[in-house]
Every structure is written in C-alpha cells, then in structure tokens.
Amino acid sequence: MPIKKKYTSLFVLGVILLALAAAGTYFFSESLVSMVSLRTATEATLADAVNRVKTMVGISSFAAIVLILASIAVFRHARHRHRRMLERFSWFLATADQAGELVTIVTRKGKIEYVNRAVELATGYAKKELVGKRNKPWLPWYKDQQVFGDMRSLVLAGTQYRGMTWCRRKDGSAFLLKEHVTPLRERKGTITRFISTARDVTRQKQVEDRLDYLDRYDALTGIPNRRHFAELLKQELGEKRPVDWLVAVMIMDIDRFKYINDLFGPEVGDEVLQRIADILRSAVGDQDIVARLGSDEFGVIHRYEARFSDTSAVADRIRHAIAQKIIVAGQDLAATATIGIASFPDSGRDAKTLIRNADIALSRAKSMGRNSVQFYSQEMSDQIKEFYLMDKRLVGALRNSEYQLNYQPYCDLITKRVTGAEALIRWHNNDIGFISPSKFIPVLEKSGLIADVGEWVLRTACAQLGEWKRQHRTFKLAVNLSLGQFHQRNLIGMVSNVIQDTGIDPEYLALELTESVCIQDIDFTVSTLKKLKDLGVSISVDDFGTGYSSLSYIKRLPVDNLKIDMSFVRDVTRDPDAASIITAITGMARSLNLKTIAEGVESEEQRNILHLLRCDMGQGYYFSPAVPVDAFDRSFR
C-alpha cells in the first residue's frame, strides 16, 4: 500500500476512536446523572459505573493517541522518502539534460512527461511545446506513422524496440535516429510509461553511404569501378536472356597516357579521363556498361545478338571516338586506345575468367602495337603458361650451370678467312632439353634476369677471348647487348670490370645491339655508346635496315660495323629491291668508314652477289652454324 494511503488510514482510525471515546463518556455521564437524580443506584453501582467510564475513556484515548502519533510518524517518513526520491529524480533529470543522446519519457496514453536538451536541439521543438502535451503521433517528429505504430505495438507488448527511424525537424528537414525504446512497469507489472533513448546518426549514415558509393563507383568519373564492374558482369551472366544474345567484355588502355600526366600535370590528366568516360558512354549502346578499372584502364560490358556480331564495330567506334582531338585547359590533346576482348561463352563462362582473358587479349594487343584491337584466343593463355613455366625454370638455370656459349664465325667474303666470331647463348634444361634463344631471351628480359645472365655471357666470352690470345689467335669477338642490358644503370661499370677482371685487350671485343634498341632514345644511345667506345671496345648495329630511319640516324652513332639483316640477304638472289637496299647500305657504310657484315648467308650464290654489292663480311650456315668452343677450335684452328 502506498505511504500516503497508510498515513490517511491511521489518522482516520485515530479520529474515529477519539470520537467513540468522547461519545461513550458522554452517554455514561448521562446515565450516571440519571441514576443520581432518580436515587435508584446504590453506592457500589455508581462506583462501578464510574470505573467503567474511566477505563473506556483511558483505553480509547490511549489508542487514539497511539494511532495519531503513528500516522504522524508515517507521514514524516513518507515526506522524507519523497524528498529523497525528488532529489534522485532531479539528479537523473540533470544528468539526462546534459547527455548527448535524445531522452524522452512518454505515458502509455501518449502524454510527453519529459524531454532533455538534446531533443530540443535535434528536433527544433521547445520543451514547452512538448512536455504535458498529448500528441496524436506519439512523438511529433516522427516522419512515418506506420513505423511509429509498429514500434508502439511492440513496446506495449512488453518488448524493447531497437531501430533506425527517419524523422522530420520542426523546420521540415530530415534526420535519422538510431532509437532504443524500453517499456517502464509498475510493481504489479503494468506498463505505465515508455522511455526512448536515441542518437542522431544522419552524418554517420551519409559517411556510410559515401563509403558504399566509393566502394562501387569511381570518384573521378562517376562510373563503376573494377569491383562493381565484376559484380555487374556476374549479374549479367546470371540473368536469363534470349539464346541469341551474347556478352562481350572489353578492356582498354589509353595509350601513352603517362605522357599527358607528365607534360600537363595530373589535373589535366584527370579531366582527360573524365572526357574519355563521357566519350565511352556515348560510343556504346544503352544496354552496355562502362567502368573505370584502373588509372587509365576502362572496361565495357557489351550485349549483342549472335546473328549480328557487332563487337568489332563497337570496338572500332570506341577507338575512333577516343582518337578525336580532346581540348582540355586550352591544350589540344590526342589519345588512342588499345582494346582486348573476351566473349561469353567462347572465351569464358564466368565473370572472373572473362575479365582475365580480356586482360590477356589487351596485353597481346599492346605487344603487337598501340591503337589496336585483339580478341582472346586459347593460344594466348597457352603462351602465358609456357612463359610462366619457362620463367620458373630460368630462375635456377644460371645457378645450375645450364647455359653455355656457342660461337659462330663471320668471314671475309673474298678469302673466306675468319675475321671474327659472335658469342651466342644456348640453354639446355634437363626437363625440356634445348630451348631456342628466341623463346627464352624475351622471358629473361621480362623477368629481369637478363642483367645477371648478360653479365655471365660477357664474362664467359671475354675469358674465352683471353684463352685464344694465349694461343696466339686474335680476332674480334662480338657479344650481344639486349634492351634490358643496354638501359641498366651500371652497364659501363659492369663492362669495365669484366675487361679488367679477365685482362683482355678491349680492341678485340665488339658489343652488338639491335637497330630497334638504338632508335628508341637516340640521345641516350649516343651518350652510352660514346662511354663504351671510351673503354676501347668496338660497336656493331645488328639487324640493320629494319628500322624506320636507318639512313638518317646512323651518322650520329659512334659505331664500327653494320650487320645487314638476314631478310635482305635471303632475298638478294631473286629480289632486285633487296639488292638495291644492300647496295645503299654498303655505299653509306663506306662513306662513313664503316664495315658491313651480311647475316644469314647460306649459299655460294648469295656470297658472290654480296661480294659484288661490296659487302665486306658474311655470317651464316654457308660458313658455319654456331658451335661449342671445342668444335669451333677444331674447325678454324
């Protein structure tokens, strides 16, 4: 029973007892007076009546006094407990008012009893507009009444509610609350109130939405990124479509985009990428998907009908659209694109395989020349697998002494006397046997092993050159420098160290590099060749005549010999144009005081014609193939 009711009951009972005592006293007094007036009572009877009255009055008065004192004590205790409860409640209200979370207490019937300061700040409503009001919607800032109704039903059933709720401030702006609503019960278990604690998570939601967007879309161009591209392709392959509809994946790379960044800065480069994204969206169909997969790499998911195989046409349309001039920041820029294509189901039946195979086709297209299109074929994967296996074996080939040098002479075309030789690397692996240099040398270049292997070739050749000198046999020995070797930072130091370590006369060492290596960066080539010449070695240009500007640049290079490419030598007996080219090369070489060496001489007829065309030396099977050092010594001692 509540304290207030206990106090009231005790007080009323005390008053009733006092009244009864007074009434009894009154009636006994009246009886006593009547008895005296009538003189009917005896002295003993009067004395007994007086005693009874005294006893009744005493007992009633004592009981009344006890009850009144008890009621006063109960009242004072109740007032003390109430004061302590108010103090605690005031502490709760002060704490809640300073809390960052929104705190609201509402009665079962919808009357708001309390809101803290955070509610005012978040909703725009003042306390006086809320506290003591009975609102039709439980909380006036609720945006969706259906959400409120579901939540209220849940809480009335005695279950706590947790959820995210979109709300509307007094000014109409929206915000998101993460809310926890708990039912408050009396001792008997009746739910009398609800207490809601909530947090404004609008900013957090915006950040999460932004992160989710950036997780799926490219921030610069606004199109899907690589991850979302793969998801969309997976969805596309999983959807039901007519049997005559197919899917192609195109992956393209913007050629030489790094030059645009380096010349004009990353800001211009970013704007170019944005323009290219717009161009791609315009160049493909409405059902196609465009994505940015990397720095300057884009992807397209293209749907097409099997009987109208327009994939090539779309790829060409993309290339031509990108090739149009792009004006950015006042700069007239030009770009081209190289594209690799993989088609479902021929080139793969899942998203991962299609993307991988389109990447493979792109790599093949880039190796064959820029601004081109290449479709995937199984042969490409086979070559990559072969490359991987070969690279794996090449890692230990030098350590396991699997390389050897063969030597092929080049001879005077008149006397057929050996005037020099070329050191050529050969590789024998126990698992796969002999491997052609045309297969493993490109692998060495790409894997970065060419520097160590190249140094081994140079040291081995120079050691053999020193051995021949001790046998009083002196002629030039040529060693090839690959593209990777020629551009390595310590090339000059490495060649100098090998010459010093082996003790050879550098006059008898010739370094060969192909014409394609020479013309990549003519200024760098001239500078490097001059440093090599300063060491005392001679320089030969291999495969001469296959470049784009052979006759114009050769006069700048500090070289000694020109090796005429075998493609001209092979046709010299039947193609007047080949003979004319050789004549031009030999004439230019003589004017520059250079020697010429014809590669791939295989017959007496070729030797005679080359001699008539004033070529100095020849190299090829007519004289000797490349042979191990023992066979070379036996043949040409």
Side-chain angles (χ1 to χ4, degrees):
M1 181 181 294
I3 298 298
K4 186 177 179 181
K5 289 184 177 180
K6 286 183 178 180
Y7 160 73
T8 304
S9 300
L10 290 172
F11 186 80
V12 170
L13 184 59
V15 171
I16 292 174
L17 287 175
L18 281 175
L20 290 174
T25 303
Y26 172 77
F27 286 121
F28 275 105
S29 300
E30 286 294 323
S31 301
L32 187 59
V33 170
S34 299
M35 292 173 63
V36 171
S37 61
L38 295 175
R39 298 183 180 181
T40 57
T42 64
E43 184 176 346
T45 303
L46 288 174
D48 182 59
V50 171
N51 288 334
R52 288 181 181 180
V53 170
K54 288 180 179 180
T55 301
M56 181 179 292
V57 171
I59 293 173
S60 299
S61 299
F62 179 75
I65 291 170
V66 169
L67 289 175
I68 290 173
L69 291 175
S71 66
I72 293 173
V74 169
F75 175 75
R76 291 185 64 185
H77 178 70
R79 187 171 62 179
H80 177 67
R81 289 188 60 184
H82 183 67
R83 184 167 55 251
R84 289 184 60 190
M85 184 181 69
L86 287 178
E87 289 174 356
R88 292 180 179 179
F89 189 66
S90 298
W91 175 83
F92 165 76
L93 295 180
T95 303
D97 234 20
Q98 297 175 21
E101 293 189 334
L102 286 69
V103 179
T104 308
I105 300 176
V106 185
T107 66
R108 180 185 183 92
K109 294 182 178 180
K111 183 180 179 181
I112 299 176
E113 285 191 334
Y114 171 78
V115 294
N116 67 347
R117 177 64 177 164
V119 173
E120 294 183 288
L121 294 175
T123 66
Y125 290 96
K127 282 187 178 182
K128 62 182 180 180
E129 298 179 85
L130 300 173
V131 177
K133 308 295 182 183
R134 192 185 302 277
N135 300 279
K136 288 186 178 179
W138 175 30
L139 299 176
W141 52 84
Y142 260 76
K143 187 175 181 180
D144 190 339
Q145 294 302 311
Q146 181 63 42
V147 173
F148 157 70
D150 295 342
M151 181 270 291
R152 185 174 184 275
S153 300
L154 191 67
V155 176
L156 284 176
T159 305
Q160 294 186 7
Y161 168 83
R162 297 176 186 269
M164 307 276 277
T165 308
W166 277 106
C167 301
R168 185 182 288 109
R169 296 184 179 89
K170 188 177 179 180
D171 60 9
S173 59
F175 65 104
L176 183 65
L177 284 183
K178 185 175 183 180
E179 193 169 20
H180 178 203
V181 184
T182 304
L184 296 178
R185 304 173 183 271
E186 290 184 344
R187 290 185 179 180
K188 293 181 179 180
T190 305
I191 297 174
T192 59
R193 291 172 180 79
F194 309 104
I195 181 168
S196 166
T197 55
R199 260 186 319 119
D200 186 346
V201 293
T202 310
R203 178 61 179 167
Q204 178 183 336
K205 178 65 174 175
Q206 291 172 344
V207 171
E208 290 175 354
D209 290 346
R210 179 62 177 170
L211 291 176
D212 180 63
Y213 175 85
L214 293 176
D215 188 51
R216 295 181 296 119
Y217 289 89
D218 176 53
L220 179 65
T221 61
I223 58 180
N225 57 18
R226 176 178 283 273
R227 177 179 176 179
H228 195 34
F229 180 78
E231 293 173 350
L232 293 171
L233 179 58
K234 187 176 181 180
Q235 294 174 11
E236 180 68 31
L237 298 178
E239 292 179 357
K240 292 183 179 180
R241 67 180 64 81
V243 292
D244 57 344
W245 276 91
L246 302 178
V247 176
V249 175
M250 302 181 188
I251 295 182
M252 65 200 71
D253 187 83
I254 308 304
D255 301 329
R256 301 180 181 88
F257 177 75
K258 184 177 183 300
Y259 295 154
I260 296 177
N261 260 349
D262 292 343
L263 287 173
F264 304 106
E267 294 80 8
V268 172
D270 288 347
E271 192 167 347
V272 169
L273 292 174
Q274 291 172 333
R275 295 288 297 279
I276 289 175
D278 294 337
I279 290 171
L280 287 175
R281 283 183 285 202
S282 301
V284 301
D286 295 337
Q287 294 182 329
D288 296 340
I289 297 170
V290 176
R292 184 185 177 201
L293 308 183
S295 173
D296 60 341
E297 191 174 85
F298 292 84
V300 173
I301 301 174
H302 171 59
R303 298 179 66 188
Y304 63 99
E305 288 188 78
R307 64 177 182 273
F308 299 114
S309 183
D310 64 341
T311 308
S312 295
V314 173
D316 288 336
R317 189 163 68 243
I318 289 172
R319 287 194 307 112
H320 294 149
I322 292 176
Q324 301 300 315
K325 291 182 179 179
I326 300 174
I327 300 176
V328 175
Q331 300 291 338
D332 192 356
L333 307 175
T336 58
T338 303
I339 304 175
I341 303 175
S343 300
F344 171 86
D346 297 335
S347 301
R349 294 182 173 273
D350 59 82
K352 184 178 179 180
T353 303
L354 285 171
I355 293 174
R356 182 191 65 206
N357 290 343
D359 267 324
I360 292 173
L362 173 63
S363 298
R364 172 61 65 87
K366 291 167 72 173
S367 67
M368 297 177 67
R370 306 282 178 171
N371 193 24
S372 60
V373 177
Q374 186 71 43
F375 283 81
Y376 169 81
S377 66
Q378 183 60 41
E379 178 190 359
M380 298 177 188
S381 290
D382 294 340
Q383 290 175 350
I384 291 176
K385 184 178 180 180
E386 181 183 0
F387 178 93
Y388 170 76
L389 294 174
M390 191 176 295
D391 180 54
K392 187 177 178 180
R393 292 186 173 102
L394 282 169
V395 170
L398 186 60
R399 182 178 62 253
N400 300 330
S401 302
E402 296 179 8
Y403 297 118
Q404 71 177 41
L405 287 188
N406 284 4
Y407 299 89
Q408 186 176 30
Y410 50 88
C411 305
D412 186 284
L413 287 175
I414 300 175
T415 65
K416 300 183 183 179
R417 183 175 59 87
V418 175
T419 56
E422 181 180 2
L424 297 169
I425 188 172
R426 296 293 183 263
W427 176 36
H428 179 268
N429 180 268
N430 293 331
D431 296 329
I432 54 179
F434 282 98
I435 301 94
S436 168
S438 62
K439 288 188 175 181
F440 73 82
I441 289 179
V443 180
L444 289 174
E445 289 272 12
K446 292 181 180 179
S447 64
L449 297 171
I450 193 64
D452 293 336
V453 175
E455 182 176 352
W456 176 87
V457 170
L458 183 62
R459 284 188 177 276
T460 306
C462 287
Q464 183 59 51
L465 191 60
E467 179 64 26
W468 282 330
K469 183 180 180 181
R470 283 188 288 274
Q471 298 173 9
H472 305 289
R473 301 170 61 201
T474 54
F475 51 80
K476 283 189 179 291
L477 180 62
V479 177
N480 290 283
L481 292 180
S482 69
L483 176 64
Q485 286 178 280
F486 189 66
H487 285 274
Q488 71 185 66
R489 182 175 300 177
N490 64 334
L491 173 66
I492 308 301
M494 185 269 289
V495 174
S496 176
N497 291 336
V498 170
I499 292 173
Q500 292 179 11
D501 294 344
T502 55
I504 66 165
D505 186 347
E507 178 186 355
Y508 296 104
L509 177 62
L511 298 178
E512 288 188 8
L513 60 157
T514 63
E515 185 182 26
S516 60
V517 173
C518 291
I519 65 176
Q520 283 203 358
D521 186 341
I522 189 66
D523 293 330
F524 173 80
T525 300
V526 171
S527 173
T528 304
L529 291 182
K530 284 181 178 179
K531 294 175 183 177
L532 289 172
K533 291 281 287 183
D534 290 341
L535 297 177
V537 304
S538 58
I539 305 296
S540 297
V541 178
D542 200 7
D543 299 336
F544 188 78
T546 59
Y548 293 105
S549 55
S550 306
L551 302 181
S552 62
Y553 79 82
I554 194 63
K555 62 183 181 181
R556 295 186 55 190
L557 299 178
V559 299
D560 303 283
N561 304 310
L562 300 181
K563 299 188 73 172
I564 301 172
D565 188 71
M566 65 176 62
S567 62
F568 303 119
V569 175
R570 182 178 58 246
D571 298 335
V572 71
T573 59
R574 60 179 183 273
D575 186 355
D577 291 337
S580 299
I581 292 173
I582 293 176
T583 301
I585 293 174
T586 57
M588 180 196 66
R590 286 180 181 277
S591 68
L592 296 174
N593 199 27
L594 305 177
K595 296 293 185 179
T596 52
I597 305 170
E599 297 181 287
V601 180
E602 297 182 350
S603 67
E604 177 70 19
E605 183 181 10
Q606 289 175 339
R607 185 192 71 83
N608 290 331
I609 293 176
L610 289 168
H611 169 59
L612 293 174
L613 297 177
R614 306 185 71 184
C615 189
D616 298 306
M617 292 165 279
Q619 181 182 12
Y621 279 27
Y622 174 74
F623 300 103
S624 172
V627 294
V629 64
D630 294 340
F632 184 88
D633 286 343
R634 287 194 301 270
S635 299
F636 301 102
R637 187 174 298 277

